[in-house]
């Protein structure tokens, strides 16, 4: 018998080692071991304690305890099984979290095991040669390892299950989650990462064992639904989902910013590109973010209303996703774009770049600022807003941004939105480049005028200087001629003076007449006539000289 | 090793010893007699079997929990084993040795243990001297940890890292001037997280002191700007530069016309041109606004660096260039004009001299013809001369016209009526003309 016991021990050690090796890479899944309703506790028991081969420590007592091997075998199997069954029953794992229907079956099976074990025990105890001490130690050696493993399971399971510190009955939750996992039919576990729900442990949200687990990020809440009904807003934090609850949507509680560009037309018909942005979040009320506390939001109603404000707009979408709603985060900027387009249509292009810089001037009817302020008021009234006493900023777009923001706030506040900001977030640019080019040209004109002034003044000076030079030259020339003629006349006799002068001045006249400037002032026939006379005189002179 | 594990070891050890001690007494009497070989073998088999069962329980339960952890966090077997071990052992320095997540340079060390980054502690967290970490645990913000070595509790993970060093960002802000001209300017911001008061550190400020309020404010006021993408969340520095600074620059500068930023005409000291504002004035105004908004967010703005306003339209720059060229050209034109005038003066003088010489030569030749009869009536020629003289001097001043006409008439009078008197000067009234050169 010693050899048998040694063989059992070797087999036990080898079996435990090999099973551990095998199970290291194999996770419990429903595909690995089919599970039917009601059998989950026993599947869990198989996965959790089966690999311990709990029967072997008792089998080592064959021949040492005063019982037949069959008794030893039965008790080695049944005594630990009783402990495990009782643990499964009293832990409540398989009879709570929507599994109360399993309770009678579980009680029945556990009761049967207990009864059967009690009968075997009774039969063993009435054996005539039994030593109670040996029998007791045999029973303890069979039970203690299982009890220790149950105890370890109880104290360690809560350490690995991510539960909030304020979870009710954390032990039961931890056991339920872990044993549910080993039943291969748990409820599903989800993690929210980067705003998206990731399924980590696949399960059955309705009939699965234990509670479902949902762990969110600090800044998220998750809307849960059961079937077609929204049940609640869960989180932020670790959430135990109830029977049938599945995540419907993740809602980010952080501040959101969206921006878009609106093409609007001013009242003078100019199309402009207006960038706008809107900052918002789920209504937080007066709560503040603090350490150790969930990210605040005012009420579940606000989250749900924001979510249910999502609109279906098939335009621009393929038939496949035509019925997909636009995210709730897009709603403020879409509304803002619409209001902005309306608001811009009240202003002229010049007004868009203008502003109320002087409150006093803005009260004078002839001042452009008065007109601008009047337009602001008109927009305010048209968008259905109450009168703002502080209307009118140094930039028109700031005022437009504020009016649009108030309008969006008014429209979306009942839907759980808290509008925290919004503005015309960039330069308002005309769509047509011609507008900009025209403005640049207008700006350039000031410089061009200046340069032209410069050129003109230089030209003026130049003309004046040239005129003066010419006048001086002409004066000097004529004076010189006259002076020279007078000087020469002194040496000429009286009868010849007239002819000399005539000839001389005739030549002078021709010379002057040939000058382009003089010629312009003379009749067209003057120069030919003078030349004809001059030639005649010249011919006469030639004839006189050579008869 | 935590209390649980010690208790477990003790309990299991006590059970084993009790069993081992009790076994021979129960099986073979009170133990006064020595055991035979077969008894000893049986004893060892039973004790070994019991010990193996306890050991299997001790080993088996963590393995089960490791499987659960592996599935729950989607980890590899080794990572799950290490994590489970840490979870069961607690966050003791011994257990956590070798599993340290470092935070430096404003971010988590990507080469560090990914499990700690993804799932969290227990682990050690080493925060460099210029960083602050905000941790989260199971969906709640947990702690703010400054520089040093910290224990991360189970499932406590790094939620955000704040770099305490001054941060510089430069953005290009596009805007429209009040006269509707698109322009842009580069602006830089240097900012950092607000420091705490020295008394919070017992009078000794660390190199990068921080205010917990500011860190919490900064990390929780990030805003989400789109659904997808790595840049979907605006970090605090980007929020300051792209949101606050960009808006402030635009709000301030859009109040002015282009000429108020840069106007070459003003520097020519023209009276009707508005005075351009100086860049430091804009910078100071923007800095004041950005500082106030930063303070609301727990951010200290150290300085703003506003660059020049540059027009987006090339035509503007070209116009400035042309104006500058015209300004230089103006001086060149004046110089050229003066030079041309001088040349004209020289040319005029030369022309006069040539005329005079020519006339003189002609007169000398005419004098030789005086013996011959001239049929052309001299009165007609003289009248023509007078007429031409009138025309020539008609574009000159009246004084000069009168002078020339008077001189001509005197000359004619001398030529037609007065006999020559060699002793008297014939044209005493005539002005002395320039001597031909």
């Amino acid at each position: 018998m010693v050899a048998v016991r040694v063989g059992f021990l070797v087999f036990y050690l080898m079996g435990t080692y090999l099973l551990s090796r095998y199970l290291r890479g194999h996770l419990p899944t429903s595909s690995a071991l089919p599970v039917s309703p009601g059998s989950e506790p026993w599947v869990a028991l198989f996965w959790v304690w089966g690999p311990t081969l709990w029967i072997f420590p008792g089998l080592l007592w064959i021949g040492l305890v005063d019982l037949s091997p069959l008794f030893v075998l039965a008790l080695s199997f049944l005594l630990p099984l009783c402990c495990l069954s009782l643990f499964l029953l009293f832990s409540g794992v398989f009879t709570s979290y929507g599994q109360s229907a399993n309770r009678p079956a579980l009680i029945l099976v556990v009761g049967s095991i207990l009864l059967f074990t009690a009968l075997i025990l009774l039969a063993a105890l009435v054996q005539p040669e039994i030593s109670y001490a040996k029998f007791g130690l045999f029973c303890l050696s069979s039970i203690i390892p299982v009890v220790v493993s149950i105890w370890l399971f109880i104290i360690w399971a809560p350490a690995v299950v991510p539960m909030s510190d304020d979870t009710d009955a954390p032990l039961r939750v931890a056991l339920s989650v872990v044993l549910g996992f080993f039943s291969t039919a748990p409820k599903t576990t989800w993690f929210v990462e980067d705003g998206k729900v990731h399924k980590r442990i696949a399960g059955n949200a309705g009939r699965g064992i234990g509670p479902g687990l949902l762990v969110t990020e600090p800044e998220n809440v998750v809307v849960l639904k059961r079937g077609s009904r929204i049940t609640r807003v869960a989180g932020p934090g670790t959430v135990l989902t109830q029977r049938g609850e599945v995540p419907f949507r993740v809602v980010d509680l952080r501040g959101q910013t969206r921006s878009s560009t609106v093409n609007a037309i001013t009242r003078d018909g100019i199309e402009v590109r207006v960038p706008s942005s809107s900052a918002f979040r789920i209504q937080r009320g007066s709560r503040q973010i603090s350490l150790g506390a969930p990210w605040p939001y005012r009420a579940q109603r606000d989250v749900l209303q924001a979510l249910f404000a999502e609109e279906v707009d098939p335009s621009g979408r393929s038939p496949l996703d035509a019925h997909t709603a636009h995210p709730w985060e897009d709603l403020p900027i879409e509304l803002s774009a619409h209001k902005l387009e309306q608001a811009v249509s009240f202003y002229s292009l010049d007004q868009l770049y203008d502003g109320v810089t002087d409150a006093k001037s803005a009260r004078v009817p002839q001042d452009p600022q008065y007109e601008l302020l009047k337009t602001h008021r008109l927009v305010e009234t048209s968008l259905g807003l109450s009168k703002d006493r502080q209307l009118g900023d140094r930039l028109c777009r700031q005022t437009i941004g504020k009016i649009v923001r108030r309008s969006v706030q008014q429209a979306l506040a009942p839907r759980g939105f808290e509008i925290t900001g919004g503005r015309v977030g960039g330069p308002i640019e005309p769509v047509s480049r011609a507008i900009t080019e025209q403005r640049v040209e207008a700006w350039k004109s000031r410089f061009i005028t200046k340069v032209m002034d410069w050129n003109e003044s230089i030209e003026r000076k130049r003309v004046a200087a040239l005129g003066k030079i010419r006048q001086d030259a002409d004066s000097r020339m004529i004076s010189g001629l006259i002076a020279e003629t007078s000087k020469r006349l002194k040496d000429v006799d009286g009868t010849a003076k007239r002819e000399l002068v005539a000839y001389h001045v005739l030549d002078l006249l021709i010379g002057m007449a040939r000058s382009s400037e003089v010629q312009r002032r003379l009749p067209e026939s003057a120069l030919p006539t003078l030349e004809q006379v001059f030639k005649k005189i010249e011919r006469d002179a030639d004839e006189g000289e050579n008869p | 090793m935590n209390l649980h594990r010690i208790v477990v070891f003790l309990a299991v050890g006590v059970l084993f010893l009790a069993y081992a001690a009790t076994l021979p007494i129960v099986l073979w009497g009170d133990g006064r007699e020595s055991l035979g070989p077969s008894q000893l073998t049986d004893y060892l088999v039973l004790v070994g079997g019991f010990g193996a069962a306890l050991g299997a329980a001790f080993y088996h339960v963590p393995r089960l929990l490791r499987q659960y952890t592996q599935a729950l966090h989607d980890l590899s077997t080794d990572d799950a084993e290490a994590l489970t071990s840490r979870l069961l052992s607690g966050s003791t320095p011994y257990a956590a040795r070798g599993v340290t997540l470092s935070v430096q340079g404003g971010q988590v060390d990507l080469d560090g243990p990914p499990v700690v980054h993804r799932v969290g502690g227990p682990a050690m967290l080493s925060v460099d001297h210029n960083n602050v970490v905000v941790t989260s645990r199971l969906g709640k913000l947990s702690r703010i940890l400054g520089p040093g070595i910290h224990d991360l509790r189970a499932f406590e993970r790094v939620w955000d890292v704040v770099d305490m060093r001054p941060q510089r960002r430069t953005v290009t802000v596009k805007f429209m001037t009040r006269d509707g001209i698109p322009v842009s300017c580069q602006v830089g911001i240097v900012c950092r997280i607000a420091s705490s008061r020295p008394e919070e550190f017992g009078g000794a400020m660390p190199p990068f002191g921080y205010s917990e309020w500011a860190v919490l404010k900064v990390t929780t006021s990030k805003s989400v700007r789109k659904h997808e993408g790595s840049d979907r969340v605006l970090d605090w520095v980007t929020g300051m530069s792209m949101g606050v600074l960009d808006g402030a620059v635009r709000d301030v500068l859009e109040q002015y016309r282009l000429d108020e930023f840069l106007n070459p005409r003003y520097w020519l000291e023209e009276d009707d041109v508005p005075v351009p504002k100086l860049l430091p004035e804009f910078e100071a105004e923007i800095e004041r606004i950005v500082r106030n908004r930063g303070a609301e967010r727990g951010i200290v703005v150290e300085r703003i660096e506003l660059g020049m306003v540059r027009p987006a339209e090339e035509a503007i720059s070209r116009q400035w260039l042309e104006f500058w060229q015209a300004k230089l050209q103006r001086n060149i034109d004046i110089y050229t004009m003066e030079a041309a005038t001088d040349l004209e003066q020289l040319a005029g003088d030369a022309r006069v001299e040539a005329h005079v010489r020519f006339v003189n030569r002609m007169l000398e030749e005419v004098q030789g013809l005086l013996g011959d009869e001239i049929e052309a009536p001299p009165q007609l020629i003289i009248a023509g001369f007078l007429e031409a003289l009138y025309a020539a001097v008609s574009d000159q001043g009246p004084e000069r016209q009168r002078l020339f006409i008077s001189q001509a008439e005197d000359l004619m009078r001398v030529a037609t009526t007065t006999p020559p008197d060699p002793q008297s000067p014939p044209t005493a009234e005539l002005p002395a003309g320039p001597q031909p050169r």
Side-chain angles (χ1 to χ4, degrees):
Chain A
M1 289 301 286
V2 173
V4 173
R5 285 192 287 273
V6 171
F8 275 137
L9 179 61
V10 171
F11 189 79
Y12 175 50
L13 293 176
M14 290 289 291
T16 308
Y17 174 74
L18 291 175
L19 265 176
S20 298
R21 293 274 300 180
Y22 173 76
L23 291 173
R24 181 178 160 83
H26 291 78
L27 298 180
T29 57
S30 55
S31 59
L33 186 66
V35 57
S36 57
S39 65
E40 298 93 348
W42 312 108
V43 173
L45 192 148
F46 171 80
W47 276 105
V48 176
W49 285 282
T52 61
L53 304 175
W54 74 72
I55 196 171
F56 281 91
L59 289 181
L60 299 178
W61 282 79
I62 289 177
L64 290 174
V65 67
D66 306 322
L67 288 171
S68 69
L70 196 61
F71 267 110
V72 173
L73 180 67
L75 287 173
S76 298
F77 177 71
L78 287 174
L79 284 173
L81 184 62
C82 283
C83 298
L84 295 171
S85 301
L86 285 171
F87 170 67
L88 292 180
L89 180 65
F90 288 110
S91 68
V93 170
F94 297 96
T95 57
S96 54
Y97 301 108
Q99 301 294 322
S100 55
N102 291 339
R103 181 182 286 269
L106 187 62
I107 291 172
L108 187 65
V109 174
V110 172
S112 302
I113 292 170
L114 289 174
L115 186 62
F116 186 64
T117 308
L119 289 174
I120 299 286
L121 271 176
L122 195 61
L125 287 171
V126 297
Q127 294 292 316
E129 296 166 358
I130 191 164
S131 162
Y132 292 114
K134 287 182 183 175
F135 182 72
L137 198 57
F138 156 69
C139 290
L140 284 176
S141 69
S142 298
I143 291 170
I144 283 174
V146 171
V147 171
V148 167
S149 71
I150 291 173
W151 174 59
L152 293 177
F153 199 79
I154 288 171
I155 62 170
W156 280 344
V160 297
V161 177
M163 289 182 297
S164 304
D165 295 335
D166 54 356
T167 304
D168 291 333
L171 176 60
R172 173 182 281 197
V173 169
L175 292 177
S176 302
V177 168
V178 177
L179 287 176
F181 170 70
F182 284 102
S183 74
T184 70
K187 284 197 177 71
T188 316
T189 297
W190 296 275
F191 272 69
V192 179
E193 287 176 346
D194 293 329
K196 293 186 175 57
V197 175
H198 296 275
K199 189 185 283 184
R200 284 291 171 72
I201 296 177
N204 188 319
R207 295 193 304 274
I209 302 299
L213 199 61
L214 171 65
V215 183
T216 76
E217 294 168 308
E219 65 272 20
N220 295 324
V221 288
V222 178
V223 177
L224 299 175
K225 66 186 287 193
R226 180 186 296 129
S228 57
R229 191 167 147 263
I230 299 291
T231 54
R232 59 182 168 135
V233 177
T238 305
V239 181
L240 301 176
T241 59
Q242 302 303 316
R243 182 173 185 163
E245 279 187 333
V246 292
F248 170 55
R249 284 285 295 279
V250 178
V251 176
D252 199 329
L253 298 175
R254 286 177 295 185
Q256 306 280 327
T257 305
R258 294 290 184 278
S259 53
S260 74
T261 301
V262 181
N263 276 19
I265 298 180
T266 62
R267 74 180 185 201
D268 41 4
I270 308 293
E271 189 174 6
V272 289
R273 209 177 286 121
V274 189
S276 73
S277 64
S278 185
F280 59 94
R281 63 187 176 208
I282 295 291
Q283 183 63 255
R284 188 180 289 174
S286 58
R287 300 182 185 182
Q288 298 294 320
I289 298 170
S290 57
L291 295 174
W295 202 287
Y297 60 96
R298 192 173 64 177
Q300 291 198 16
R301 188 185 67 245
D302 294 318
V303 177
L304 295 177
Q305 280 182 332
L307 204 57
F308 297 150
E310 290 184 341
E311 296 166 350
V312 177
D313 180 6
S315 58
R317 291 189 159 187
S318 68
L320 282 175
D321 59 355
H323 298 287
T324 308
H326 287 265
W328 64 273
E329 295 100 324
D330 291 347
L331 193 58
I333 193 65
E334 282 171 6
L335 192 59
S336 170
H338 171 64
K339 299 286 183 190
L340 189 58
E341 191 178 355
Q342 286 185 335
V344 168
S345 69
F346 285 82
Y347 297 89
S348 68
L349 183 64
D350 290 335
Q351 279 184 326
L352 289 179
Y353 299 121
D354 213 334
V356 178
T357 52
D358 183 6
K360 281 184 183 172
S361 302
R363 286 197 291 269
V364 179
Q366 288 79 19
D367 195 279
Q369 296 184 63
Y370 177 81
E371 184 63 29
L372 182 61
L373 202 55
K374 215 168 102 183
T375 312
H376 287 329
R377 290 279 175 222
L378 185 60
V379 176
E380 195 178 42
T381 312
S382 301
L383 293 181
L385 299 172
S386 57
K387 195 173 177 181
D388 180 9
R389 289 180 181 279
Q390 302 297 320
L391 204 63
D393 297 272
R394 295 177 69 84
L395 290 171
C396 178
R397 65 166 178 79
Q398 288 177 320
T399 310
I400 294 175
K402 285 178 184 172
I403 291 173
V404 169
R405 176 181 160 181
R406 284 168 57 207
S407 180
V408 173
Q409 171 74 39
Q410 184 173 284
L412 293 182
R415 299 202 177 182
F417 286 83
E418 183 180 348
I419 307 297
T420 55
R423 58 179 179 156
V424 175
I428 299 175
E429 292 175 341
V431 172
S432 168
R433 268 199 59 76
I435 307 287
T436 306
E437 284 169 1
Q438 187 57 52
R439 285 184 173 274
V440 171
E441 287 302 316
W443 171 86
K444 279 169 69 175
S445 66
R446 294 192 285 267
F447 284 80
I448 292 170
T449 308
K450 183 68 197 169
V451 173
M452 285 173 69
D453 281 350
W454 286 348
N455 291 341
E456 191 191 348
S457 73
I458 292 170
E459 187 62 21
R460 254 198 321 269
K461 284 180 186 172
R462 193 177 69 83
V463 168
L466 285 178
K468 186 171 179 303
I469 287 167
R470 284 176 184 165
Q471 284 176 5
D472 290 347
D474 288 347
S475 303
R476 282 199 300 275
M477 182 185 75
I478 292 169
S479 297
L481 286 174
I482 292 172
E484 186 63 25
T485 304
S486 300
K487 192 177 89 180
R488 288 173 184 275
L489 283 175
K490 284 190 283 188
D491 304 328
V492 180
D493 62 7
T495 55
K497 274 181 186 173
R498 191 176 301 156
E499 287 77 15
L500 175 63
V501 170
Y503 188 83
H504 176 64
V505 297
L506 190 59
D507 180 48
L508 177 64
L509 279 175
I510 289 170
M512 292 175 71
R514 278 181 180 157
S515 164
S516 60
E517 290 180 3
V518 176
Q519 199 172 354
R520 267 189 285 132
R521 297 164 185 254
L522 293 175
E524 288 180 3
S525 59
L527 189 58
T529 307
L530 285 171
E531 285 173 346
Q532 192 180 350
V533 173
F534 181 81
K535 281 176 183 169
K536 191 171 184 306
I537 292 171
E538 194 176 36
R539 191 172 56 247
D540 291 345
D542 289 343
E543 285 171 0
E545 197 175 276
N546 303 309
Chain B
M1 196 176 293
N2 66 359
L3 189 62
H4 272 179
R5 235 174 197 194
I6 294 169
V7 171
V8 167
F9 268 116
L10 283 175
V12 172
V14 167
L15 278 173
F16 178 76
L17 291 175
Y19 181 82
T22 312
L23 191 61
I25 298 169
V26 171
L27 287 179
W28 300 291
D30 56 3
R32 291 173 191 164
E33 296 175 10
S34 59
L35 301 177
S38 74
Q39 290 172 323
L40 191 59
T41 306
D42 284 337
Y43 174 75
L44 290 175
V45 166
L46 287 175
V47 169
F50 187 74
L54 288 178
F58 194 78
Y59 171 78
H60 180 65
V61 173
R63 181 188 60 77
L64 291 171
L65 299 178
R66 189 264 300 160
Q67 285 190 320
Y68 171 72
T69 303
Q70 184 177 354
L72 182 69
H73 300 294
D74 193 19
L75 302 173
S76 68
T77 306
D78 291 337
D79 284 344
E81 204 162 272
L83 175 63
T84 308
S85 171
R86 292 200 302 274
L87 285 168
L88 300 183
S89 302
S91 58
T92 62
Y94 175 77
R97 186 177 296 163
V99 185
T100 303
L101 186 67
S102 297
V103 171
Q104 52 195 359
Q107 59 182 355
V108 175
D109 180 14
L110 298 177
D111 295 331
V115 178
V116 181
H117 189 44
R118 271 187 61 197
V119 180
M124 303 301 283
L125 178 69
S126 165
V127 182
D128 206 9
H129 69 283
N130 49 19
N131 293 271
V132 176
V133 168
V134 180
T135 65
S136 71
R137 184 172 181 273
L138 300 173
K140 292 174 188 170
L141 298 181
S142 180
R143 293 187 289 169
I144 294 173
L145 304 173
I149 307 289
H150 307 275
D151 286 333
L152 283 179
R153 293 178 291 164
F155 304 113
E156 186 179 17
R157 51 186 289 208
V158 174
W159 184 69
D160 201 358
V161 178
V162 177
D163 193 338
M164 299 302 295
R165 294 173 295 183
Q167 301 289 316
R168 169 192 282 273
R169 297 288 184 278
T170 303
V171 291
T172 301
V173 183
K174 292 181 178 176
F175 62 96
M176 301 291 273
T177 61
R178 202 178 189 91
D179 40 358
I181 294 173
V183 291
S184 67
C185 72
Q186 278 206 333
V187 57
I189 182 172
V190 180
C191 56
R192 57 177 172 78
I193 303 294
S195 301
S196 58
R197 294 183 297 275
E199 52 267 28
E200 288 183 24
F201 295 90
M205 283 279 285
F208 294 100
Y210 64 96
S211 153
E212 287 204 353
W213 171 84
V215 171
L216 188 64
K217 187 83 180 167
V218 156
T219 51
T220 57
S221 59
K222 290 179 175 179
S223 69
V224 181
R225 56 179 172 178
K226 55 185 179 181
H227 295 291
E228 302 290 339
S230 58
D231 59 341
R232 71 187 195 98
V233 179
L234 215 61
D235 67 43
W236 68 271
V237 193
T238 312
M240 275 303 287
S241 57
M242 301 291 288
V244 175
L245 178 64
D246 177 272
V249 169
R250 195 171 286 122
D251 287 351
V252 170
L253 299 188
E254 281 199 348
Q255 297 175 25
Y256 301 94
R257 296 177 188 281
L258 180 61
D259 289 345
E260 291 176 89
F261 298 116
L262 181 64
N263 191 354
R265 290 166 58 224
Y266 171 77
W267 302 105
L268 297 176
E269 297 178 356
E270 291 183 28
D271 293 336
D272 59 335
V273 178
V275 184
K277 286 190 82 172
L278 300 174
L279 211 55
E281 293 177 41
F282 289 122
E283 193 176 84
E285 190 176 351
I286 292 165
E287 192 168 305
R288 183 181 53 75
I289 295 169
V290 176
R291 268 184 203 279
N292 290 340
R293 292 192 192 160
E296 292 167 9
R297 298 177 175 216
I299 296 165
V300 173
V301 176
E302 295 199 338
R303 65 180 184 277
I304 298 291
E305 295 169 354
L306 183 68
M308 283 300 294
V309 173
R310 296 171 195 278
E313 293 291 319
E314 196 189 343
I316 308 276
S317 307
R318 202 166 51 237
Q319 182 56 58
W320 279 336
L321 178 63
E322 285 172 5
F323 186 72
W324 176 80
Q325 287 173 329
K327 198 169 66 176
L328 288 189
Q329 191 62 36
R330 183 188 175 201
N331 296 331
I332 294 170
D333 286 348
I334 290 171
Y335 179 80
T336 308
M337 186 267 291
E338 287 172 354
T341 308
D342 288 346
L343 283 175
E344 190 76 20
Q345 180 80 52
L346 290 173
D349 290 347
R351 196 163 55 242
V352 169
E353 185 181 0
H355 278 204
V356 170
R357 285 185 180 174
F358 177 76
V359 170
N360 288 342
R361 193 169 65 247
M362 290 301 292
L363 280 174
E364 284 169 4
E365 289 182 9
V366 168
Q367 280 175 340
L369 301 175
L370 285 179
D372 303 327
E373 185 184 353
I374 297 170
E375 289 184 2
Q379 288 84 355
L380 180 62
I381 295 168
I382 292 164
F385 171 72
L386 287 173
E387 189 181 347
L389 186 62
Y390 272 123
V393 300
S394 63
D395 57 346
Q396 299 189 2
E399 292 298 325
R400 192 167 286 243
Q401 282 179 13
R402 269 197 298 278
L403 179 64
F404 278 124
I405 291 165
S406 166
Q407 286 178 335
E409 284 171 352
D410 288 346
L411 178 65
M412 290 304 106
R413 200 177 303 119
V414 168
T416 53
T417 58
T418 312
D421 181 2
Q423 299 305 315
S424 62
T427 54
E429 308 87 46
L430 285 177
Q435 291 303 312
R437 283 177 286 181

